[in-house]
Amino acid sequence: MGLPVRKFDALVVGAGGAGMRASLQLAEAGLSVAVLSKVFPTRSHTVAAQGGIGASLGNMSDDNWYWHMFDTVKGSDYLGDQDAIEFMCREAPKVVYELEHFGMPFDRNADGTIYQRPFGGHSANFGEKPVARACAAADRTGHALLHTLYQRNIRARTQFFVEWMALDLIRDADGDVLGVTALEIETGEVWMLQAKTTLFATGGAGRIFAASTNAFINTGDGLGMTARAGLPLEDMEFWQFHPTGVAGAGVLITEGVRGEGGILLNCNGERFMERYAPTLKDLAPRDFVSRSMDQEIKEGRGCGPDKDYVLLKLDHLGPEVILKRLPSIHEIAVKFANVDCTREPIPVVPTIHYQMGGIPTNYHGQVVAPRDGDPEAVVSGFYAIGECACVSVHGANRLGTNSLLDLLVFGRAAGNHIVDFHQRNKEHKPLPRDAADLALSRLARLDGAAAARGAGEQTQDVGNALRRTMQAHCGVFRNDELLTSGVSKVMEIAEQVRRIAIGDKSKVFNTARVEALEVENLIEVAQATIVSAQARQESRGAHARSDFDQRDDANWHKHTLWHRAGNRLSYKPVHMKPLTVDSFPPKARTF
Amino acid sequence: MMENGSSFPAGAKEPAVIDERSWARLRWRCRRGMLENDIVLARYLDKTAGAIGEQELAALDQLLDMNDNELWDLLSGRTEPSDEKLQCLVRQLRSA
Ligand SMILES: Cc1cc2nc3c(=O)[nH]c(=O)nc-3n(C[C@H](O)[C@H](O)[C@H](O)COP(=O)(O)OP(=O)(O)OC[C@H]3O[C@@H](n4cnc5c(N)ncnc54)[C@H](O)[C@@H]3O)c2cc1C
């Protein structure tokens, strides 16, 4: 074995909003905390979030956590766990005020209170009228959040391990998690990082799709490591699409464009949303607009040489409005679509935006998995929060602004729970002899394959094949034929992943190695996604099947668990019982 | 581009190819939190394919130390670099 070991009270993998909120709680309680990140903490993907953080502060008009809870349950298409949702909505004002106290530069009202803006799906009085619930720092909320948390963490003496990549979990014979193996990217050294508790906050895996609004870094490493450690992944068939990503690039065009009067056109120049949603038209909910766009494309009314996108027209708004109110859109259109949107429309496609599923946890952030008849037995020493986790507050569909909230609430809650664990468990458990075997064998395979160069697959080619397959077979509209053939293709690609060879065997900053390791994580997430999607014979939230176009509560009101061994699925009940209030039973989701 | 056809001002030292390690390090630091920056930087890296000189490397390092919003403001032309040394590089990135 012989790998160098470092020992901490607590280990956090991921330095986005979720990881840094948790590590702050730990460091302030006096624990020795190591936070690993593939990139500098403030360059985590949380930086891209613009819209805001949802909390029922009631600063603009009447609001309360119970209304927020109702919206979240309904938004989730009744797949969200109601205990976790109640917990999140109740804690929301607290975590926002805490953040204010940490120095987060929120936008303010004239009276000094935090300004709040309205956001899709958030309502007052159980859907009666829209309510302003999003707390933002201009259009740079994620950026402000990361900087605020980073500064506080430095003050609290959190130790950051920047440009370190966690490779695999270390579990002992009892199944307890004792740390991770990790690669120091700069030197190529592999370490064992030992801790009483390990928390994953590694973000989403949006890069399994060809059209994605996610940065390149979002490769689902936490999910890959969890699956390889023999633990299941929950509800992976549920992925949110944003209707307007720039075709070919993925870069997000905000809903604000349609809010200002931008419209979607097919190849006949028809404003097709009038047909699908006569009242709300282009401003119908995200999943609905995405499905309508996909329908147009499938029925041959897409635009361009391959008829594979639709057009977002806004030139009729006039250059003044565009340049004044939507300045970044003009730049994005020029740079990524090569069009001047004051004169021509922008090619757009529904684009992957957010992963609702993930590592199964309870609302303390503890990872849970089936054991001895208990569908949710705690995995000792292991926690997960943020986009990589499935707690499940978003269920089948996430409401805007609820993700940043999720990071903060469960980051804090998991932090508190870990402090408690630390106090009750004085000693570190010994590392098993085979602690590093899994990671080392993966590294050896990459290099070994490289030795037999010529026979191996190229990381880039395999990654691209995977992304194209997922896009074509597991996109907005799904049916059995597409999904079933997609499953076999993904399985073939999984075989290719096992044959990836890297020519470059140097140790220092070997990014080829890092990228190959990332593809090994992507393939786990892709298998979980398409196998879970193929099996779920209903349409719920973001999972839309043309062959089963209704929600089917009698048969499918349950969470999916995908197990890597044998690509097997099992199911577990949705938590319908909130902590203190009455349950919200499933109702038809109308808008 | 400068009149002499290179991206470096006349009289500056000719660009040399940087060593493999610096190139790898650079590539990794071009992984950003925002897709917009990822794409522009990836296009630039593909175009230069490692053929960049010491000065350009120093300028890039300086740019990559910025936070993602600041960087995107520069790349999208919303702001101009205050540091003269960055201007040439920012121009190249914008046209990438
Ligand atoms: C364009 C865009 C706009 C959005 N706007 C909003 C919004 O307005 N409101 C809202 O609520 N949500 C929004 N979202 C969603 C929200 O931003 C994300 O869900 C959230 O930021 C994820 O945070 P995280 O902390 O879980 O992960 P991330 O911020 O993605 O951080 C992941 C961390 O894990 C590290 N990491 C990953 N793998 C490894 C590894 N193997 N080893 C070591 N470190 C690793 C990374 O380096 C990084 O530090 C938006 C998303 C996008 C794409």
Side-chain angles (χ1 to χ4, degrees):
Chain A
M1 197 161 62
L3 289 183
V5 182
R6 293 188 70 163
K7 209 166 169 176
F8 306 91
D9 293 331
L11 191 64
V12 173
V13 184
M20 287 206 287
R21 182 63 193 85
S23 62
L24 181 60
Q25 206 71 6
L26 299 169
E28 286 189 339
L31 275 67
S32 72
V33 189
V35 179
L36 264 64
S37 178
K38 290 197 287 187
V39 296
F40 194 75
T42 53
R43 275 168 223 152
S44 300
H45 191 49
T46 297
V47 80
Q50 305 178 341
I53 309 170
S56 60
L57 306 182
N59 285 351
M60 316 307 284
S61 61
D62 256 3
D63 197 9
N64 63 60
W65 65 262
Y66 196 39
W67 293 346
H68 188 183
M69 179 181 174
F70 168 81
D71 294 336
T72 305
V73 172
K74 178 181 169 189
S76 81
D77 217 351
Y78 298 91
L79 193 70
D81 284 338
Q82 298 193 13
D83 51 352
I85 295 177
E86 174 177 340
F87 182 77
M88 179 177 82
C89 297
R90 289 177 79 127
E91 290 282 298
K94 191 191 299 172
V95 294
V96 166
Y97 287 132
E98 231 171 26
L99 210 53
E100 179 182 36
H101 186 75
F102 295 162
M104 171 101 171
F106 283 115
D107 295 347
R108 308 219 164 248
N109 291 311
D111 65 358
T113 54
I114 295 173
Y115 167 80
Q116 298 184 275
R117 56 166 82 130
F119 226 88
H122 290 278
S123 77
N125 203 15
F126 313 105
E128 190 185 295
K129 54 177 191 258
V131 72
R133 196 175 275 153
C135 311
D139 61 351
R140 305 208 155 164
T141 309
H143 168 85
L145 175 66
L146 285 183
H147 280 262
T148 305
L149 290 175
Y150 182 64
Q151 294 306 334
R152 291 291 288 206
N153 268 286
I154 293 295
R155 224 179 69 171
R157 298 179 185 280
T158 301
Q159 299 179 61
F160 286 99
F161 289 72
V162 177
E163 293 177 342
W164 280 60
M165 180 185 194
L167 299 177
D168 274 300
L169 276 171
I170 301 175
R171 294 183 83 189
D172 68 7
D174 300 329
D176 295 358
V177 169
L178 308 180
V180 297
T181 43
L183 173 75
E184 183 179 8
I185 299 174
E186 178 159 15
T187 62
E189 294 296 326
V190 180
W191 292 75
M192 288 197 282
L193 304 179
Q194 184 181 9
K196 291 186 199 167
T197 55
T198 301
L199 177 140
F200 276 5
T202 48
R207 301 305 304 180
I208 62 168
F209 289 92
S212 171
T213 65
N214 286 197
F216 295 171
I217 192 106
N218 282 17
T219 51
D221 297 359
L223 287 86
M225 289 186 270
T226 302
R228 280 191 299 273
L231 295 167
L233 300 178
E234 178 174 346
D235 290 344
M236 289 305 298
E237 61 271 45
F238 297 101
W239 287 83
Q240 184 169 72
F241 288 83
H242 196 289
T244 53
V246 174
V251 174
L252 184 97
I253 305 237
T254 143
E255 251 124 9
V257 170
R258 280 167 291 137
E260 292 290 344
I263 54 172
L264 293 164
L265 302 178
N266 62 19
C267 67
N268 303 323
E270 182 202 4
R271 185 182 180 186
F272 57 87
M273 281 312 299
E274 288 182 326
R275 222 179 329 116
Y276 295 93
T279 327
L280 289 176
K281 297 177 186 157
D282 301 275
L283 284 171
R286 278 182 191 174
D287 53 343
F288 194 83
V289 178
S290 295
R291 283 198 285 275
S292 310
M293 291 166 69
D294 197 66
Q295 185 83 9
E296 290 300 296
I297 294 169
K298 287 239 155 70
E299 289 175 4
R301 292 186 294 278
C303 308
D306 296 325
K307 292 185 160 294
D308 54 358
Y309 55 79
V310 300
L311 295 170
L312 177 61
K313 173 178 155 65
L314 60 160
D315 58 289
H316 57 285
L317 304 177
E320 303 77 32
V321 172
I322 294 173
L323 297 175
K324 186 154 161 274
R325 278 197 268 190
L326 305 164
S328 57
I329 297 309
H330 186 251
E331 292 142 14
I332 286 174
V334 171
K335 274 230 131 34
F336 303 110
N338 205 12
V339 303
D340 173 359
C341 65
T342 62
R343 287 184 297 168
E344 313 149 82
I346 311 172
V348 290
V349 287
T351 302
I352 276 294
H353 189 50
Y354 184 83
Q355 161 200 314
M356 265 80 68
I359 306 165
T361 72
N362 60 25
Y363 67 88
H364 306 298
Q366 294 175 286
V367 175
V368 294
R371 195 177 59 222
D372 303 333
D374 177 358
E376 302 189 317
V378 166
V379 180
S380 183
F382 192 24
Y383 293 75
I385 52 168
E387 195 168 334
C388 74
C390 180
V391 42
S392 126
V393 286
H394 309 301
N397 182 48
R398 172 189 72 112
L399 289 192
T401 76
N402 264 358
S403 169
L404 292 184
L405 177 61
D406 163 5
L407 313 183
L408 294 168
V409 167
F410 296 104
R412 185 176 184 281
N416 287 335
H417 205 271
I418 290 172
V419 171
D420 191 51
F421 184 96
H422 169 73
Q423 279 155 359
R424 282 184 290 109
N425 295 273
K426 296 290 174 216
E427 304 293 330
H428 286 71
K429 285 183 86 178
L431 292 179
R433 289 182 144 277
D434 63 354
D437 287 7
L438 178 56
L440 291 179
S441 67
R442 286 171 61 216
L443 289 169
R445 199 182 58 221
L446 286 176
D447 282 347
R453 210 147 138 221
E457 303 276 351
Q458 299 293 309
T459 306
Q460 193 67 20
D461 299 343
V462 179
N464 286 340
L466 178 65
R467 283 182 276 273
R468 273 197 307 269
T469 305
M470 289 301 289
Q471 192 73 31
H473 291 266
C474 203
V476 177
F477 248 124
R478 302 168 173 183
N479 61 40
D480 189 59
E481 196 188 324
L482 272 177
L483 288 164
T484 304
S485 56
V487 168
S488 359
K489 285 192 184 168
V490 169
M491 296 307 156
E492 278 165 31
I493 296 171
E495 285 305 316
Q496 291 168 18
V497 170
R498 280 185 260 283
R499 292 196 302 268
I500 285 179
I502 47 170
D504 176 3
K505 281 196 269 176
S506 62
K507 291 200 110 187
V508 174
F509 262 108
N510 187 336
T511 50
R513 177 177 294 144
V514 172
E515 284 162 11
L517 292 165
E518 287 178 333
V519 170
E520 293 190 354
N521 293 320
L522 288 171
I523 190 68
E524 301 298 342
V525 182
Q527 291 177 90
T529 298
I530 198 160
V531 170
S532 304
Q534 196 269 344
R536 185 174 283 271
Q537 298 186 336
E538 66 159 352
S539 290
R540 181 185 299 271
H543 174 67
R545 294 271 306 236
S546 54
D547 45 354
F548 298 95
D549 62 355
Q550 298 297 314
R551 197 176 78 199
D552 176 1
D553 288 327
N555 294 303
W556 289 101
H557 188 234
K558 54 189 179 186
H559 294 296
T560 306
L561 292 175
W562 172 80
H563 307 259
R564 179 173 187 262
N567 252 307
R568 185 173 62 85
L569 297 175
S570 65
Y571 294 89
K572 66 174 185 179
V574 177
H575 296 194
M576 292 302 286
K577 198 169 150 25
L579 299 172
T580 65
V581 292
D582 287 341
S583 177
F584 291 107
K587 285 212 184 94
R589 192 164 151 258
T590 54
F591 293 95
Chain B
M1 286 290 204
M2 297 287 147
E3 273 168 35
N4 61 4
S6 99
S7 48
F8 280 75
K13 240 175 69 194
E14 268 304 294
V17 177
I18 58 171
D19 65 79
E20 244 176 72
R21 185 188 160 207
S22 309
W23 174 244
R25 198 178 115 265
L26 188 68
R27 275 192 51 201
W28 187 249
R29 302 236 158 116
C30 287
R31 285 281 199 100
R32 310 299 299 192
M34 277 168 69
L35 180 61
E36 288 86 338
N37 291 332
D38 272 346
I39 296 176
V40 173
L41 290 167
R43 286 177 186 167
Y44 168 81
L45 291 182
D46 283 351
K47 217 158 103 176
T48 57
I52 60 173
E54 297 290 329
Q55 290 186 12
E56 204 172 348
L57 181 63
L60 252 175
D61 268 337
Q62 205 179 328
L63 271 190
L64 295 178
D65 275 341
M66 291 180 178
N67 70 54
D68 275 290
N69 282 299
E70 244 181 307
L71 181 60
W72 172 237
D73 282 348
L74 275 178
L75 299 185
S76 64
R78 256 207 267 188
T79 56
E80 291 302 324
S82 48
D83 189 335
E84 229 175 273
K85 288 195 289 273
L86 295 183
Q87 279 166 10
C88 174
L89 175 63
V90 167
R91 238 177 295 135
Q92 286 185 60
L93 283 164
R94 282 181 191 164
S95 65

